[in-house]
Amino acid sequence: RTIECISPTSPGSQDTSVSLQLLVDDAPAKQINQVGFSYRADPIITNLLPSSGPAGGDHAVTVVGENFVFGATLRCYFGNTVMPAGVVSSTRMLCNAPPMPTGSVG
């Protein structure tokens, strides 16, 4: 069986771990392993390098910020065009800019 729990708001603004316990009819459920849940600070974007590029696209854009997480599914949105992104470090991500959409004015 699967039980879905909705996490409450984080108890702080930084990464925080809390224990997780399931109660069934107000009695603790048997747990084989220690179970915990980790809150992660929200990602923050502070800069794009470069902030512009050629209309043909296909050039790397470095997203600078904080709290980027390895293993997360990341995407960069350039208008309505979605491009995959990858984490380089907790403060840098990379994605390739797409070509400028046909009919767009720069």
Side-chain angles (χ1 to χ4, degrees):
R1 284 189 179 173
T2 300
I3 297 173
E4 183 177 312
C5 299
I6 306 298
S7 66
T9 303
S10 171
S13 61
Q14 300 298 317
D15 290 357
T16 305
S17 292
V18 295
S19 62
L20 179 71
Q21 185 176 24
L22 178 65
L23 299 178
V24 178
D25 294 330
D26 293 325
K30 181 179 178 182
Q31 291 181 220
I32 297 172
N33 296 317
Q34 179 67 25
V35 179
F37 180 80
S38 295
Y39 288 94
R40 299 196 184 267
D42 291 334
I44 299 169
I45 296 172
T46 57
N47 203 2
L48 299 176
L49 302 171
S51 61
S52 64
D58 198 31
H59 63 280
V61 175
T62 301
V63 180
V64 181
E66 301 173 17
N67 307 321
F68 301 146
V69 178
F70 287 97
T73 301
L74 303 169
R75 295 176 183 87
C76 290
Y77 286 77
F78 293 84
N80 292 325
T81 304
V82 181
M83 301 295 287
V87 173
V88 175
S89 71
S90 64
T91 60
R92 292 188 183 268
M93 297 181 351
L94 282 178
C95 52
N96 281 340
M100 186 170 67
T102 305
S104 295
V105 177

